């Protein structure tokens, strides 16, 4: 089959592809759907149903149902080593497609993706990009559905500065995954944006233990606030840690809006924090798309030979007023 050039990026491409999937689901019986007969392993990231994973689960399941794909979900509790183990397990099963999280980075995935490519398995990435692998295998369907990380962090910082009227010399904490390679670019972008505006930024790394159990972030943030009573802003690009910031602020004796908070995603506690003004803004990655689009990538490559799509799913930041308008969709897990 002659390989086609997709070149699809952004909102127009997403709308067109979602329309294609919807049309296929309505018009065709299950045996005639575009993805009928295909099997896909899909790394979801966290744990089933958590606020930063649920919309990705729902998006992937909706796409699989619409397109007729057999979907096998994998959950890693955000542990990079587990993601590598899961990829080995998926390879052994010899499916048609595999979606991987980019948290471990290009190097550990490189020989495994090469093995998958030799077997004719379509591999694509979500949530955290793998640019070297994407460059190597884009023609074979290796794409990316997720945030452009550094830019997403800068976008969050800009929204924090505007909403909180932050100024030069203000003290800020950026509590992020700085030690996690590519994934850390999002927090680095947020810290850069705050520093560029002249804020005094303290950078604190989120440990593997906190990644696995975000509630452990609360006493860490409380202790930092107590040591820096004049703190004006807190930022993070870890979704579940974002959801625990209101609890930390309450335990530290801070009132809503007293500290400008910028986070990411829309976990239930984050939504409550936005509505109460304990959280000022949050970057919306549109995680539903991060589930839906890789499944569609599998079908488009396997059936039509289309190349990998690279789609920035982050539309911008949300505040309390915007979340109120989005609640009907959020309650369905579409965000």
């Amino acid at each position: 089959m002659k390989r086609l050039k997709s070149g699809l990026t952004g909102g127009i491409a997403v709308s067109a592809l979602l329309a294609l999937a919807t049309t296929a689901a309505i018009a065709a019986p299950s045996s005639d759907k575009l993805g009928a007969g295909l099997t896909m392993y899909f790394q979801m990231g966290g744990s089933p149903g958590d606020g930063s994973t649920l919309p990705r689960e729902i998006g992937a399941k909706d796409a699989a149902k619409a397109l007729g794909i057999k979907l096998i979900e994998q959950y890693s509790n955000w542990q990079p080593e587990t993601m590598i183990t899961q990829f080995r397990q998926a390879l052994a099963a010899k499916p048609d497609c595999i979606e991987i999280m980019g948290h471990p980075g290009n190097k550990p995935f490189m020989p495994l993706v090469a093995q998958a490519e030799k077997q004719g398995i379509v591999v694509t990435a979500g949530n955290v990009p793998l640019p070297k692998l994407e460059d190597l295998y884009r023609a074979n369907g290796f794409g990316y559905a997720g945030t452009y990380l550094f830019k997403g962090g800068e976008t969050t910082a800009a929204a924090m500065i505007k909403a909180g009227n932050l100024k030069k010399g203000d003290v800020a904490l950026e509590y992020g995954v700085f030690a996690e390679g590519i994934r850390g670019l999002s927090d680095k972008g947020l810290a850069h944006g705050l520093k560029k505006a002249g804020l005094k930024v303290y950078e604190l790394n989120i440990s593997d233990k906190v990644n696995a159990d975000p509630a452990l972030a609360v006493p860490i943030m409380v202790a930092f606030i107590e040591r820096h009573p004049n703190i004006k802003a807190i930022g993070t690009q870890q979704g579940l840690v974002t959801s625990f910031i209101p609890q930390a602020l309450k335990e530290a004796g801070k009132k809503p809006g007293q500290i400008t908070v910028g986070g990411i995603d829309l976990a239930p506690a984050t939504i409550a924090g936005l509505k109460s003004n304990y959280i000022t803004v949050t970057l919306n990655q549109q995680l539903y798309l991060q589930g839906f689009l890789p499944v569609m990538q599998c079908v488009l490559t396997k059936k039509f030979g289309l190349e990998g799509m690279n789609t920035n799913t982050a539309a911008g930041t949300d505040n309390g007023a915007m979340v109120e308008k989005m609640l009907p969709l959020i309650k369905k897990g579409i965000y």
Side-chain angles (χ1 to χ4, degrees), residues 116-141:
E117 293 288 337
K118 287 180 182 178
Q119 294 178 15
I121 298 171
V122 174
V123 182
T124 191
N127 194 246
V128 173
L130 293 164
K132 291 182 180 179
L133 285 164
E134 188 177 344
D135 288 344
L136 282 172
Y137 299 114
R138 182 179 294 110
N140 297 338

Side-chain angles (χ1 to χ4, degrees), residues 57 73 181 184 258:
E57 294 177 72
E73 303 151 56
Q258 193 172 350

Side-chain angles (χ1 to χ4, degrees), residues 161 164-171 194 197-200 232:
I161 291 164
N165 194 28
L166 301 176
K167 58 185 183 300
K168 184 176 180 179
D170 284 346
V171 173
L194 295 177
L199 278 73
K200 182 179 181 181
K232 297 294 184 182

